[in-house]
Amino acid sequence: MLDEASRRRLAEMGIDVYLPRASTPAAGASATAVAAVYVLADSCEHELPRALARTLAFAGVAAGIARAQDAELAGASALVVCGPEQARAVGARLDAAQQAAIGWVATGALQHLAGDALAKRALWGELKRLLRQLRAAHLMPGA
């Protein structure tokens, strides 16, 4: 359960938090995400993709970390693509209609992003846009 400080931080980021009415396991399960978002990176062991997945989970979105070659992209509602190699791999696996149908956030390579505060800030803004897009498409709680 989220404490008051966490709910305030989410509100400041533009993320609405809706709490389940009952505290039964079934109600908690319905409050979890229904959207599948993949964080695609060359290295699944790098801290940044794990932090992105935790951030999405904190916002109520189910997120998995994988390489573009290994993920089941056809069922994804959105992609967070880290690095040009992963973007090329996604482009090779999905046709233009599939690419247009899902939300995208593309970043630079992980090693460059890790030390660039402005790039991280831009990434955070794009994640907020992606969450609004998922909410508008009724693919996540709070829609």
Side-chain angles (χ1 to χ4, degrees):
M1 219 44 181
L2 296 174
D3 61 311
E4 187 58 35
S6 296
R7 283 192 287 263
R8 266 196 317 272
R9 278 193 298 274
L10 285 172
E12 290 172 359
M13 292 184 275
I15 300 169
D16 296 325
V17 177
Y18 295 91
L19 300 175
R21 292 182 186 190
S23 61
T24 63
S30 67
T32 60
V34 295
V37 176
Y38 286 103
V39 177
L40 303 174
D42 291 331
S43 171
C44 298
E45 302 304 317
H46 195 279
E47 178 56 31
L48 191 58
R50 292 196 311 251
L52 289 170
R54 281 192 308 269
T55 299
L56 291 166
F58 190 67
V61 178
I65 304 170
R67 292 172 30 99
Q69 299 84 344
D70 303 330
E72 181 56 47
L73 302 178
S77 299
L79 302 173
V80 178
V81 183
C82 301
E85 295 83 13
Q86 293 299 306
R88 281 191 292 276
V90 170
R93 291 194 54 207
L94 297 178
D95 63 32
Q98 290 172 315
Q99 291 180 32
I102 61 175
W104 280 73
V105 171
T107 71
L110 293 176
Q111 59 271 29
H112 294 93
L113 188 62
D116 189 346
L118 291 177
K120 286 184 197 175
R121 184 174 181 174
L123 173 58
W124 184 247
E126 287 298 306
L127 286 176
K128 290 192 319 187
R129 178 196 55 80
L130 180 67
L131 292 173
R132 286 191 299 268
Q133 179 183 354
L134 290 172
R135 189 175 298 123
H138 303 289
L139 295 174
M140 67 178 278

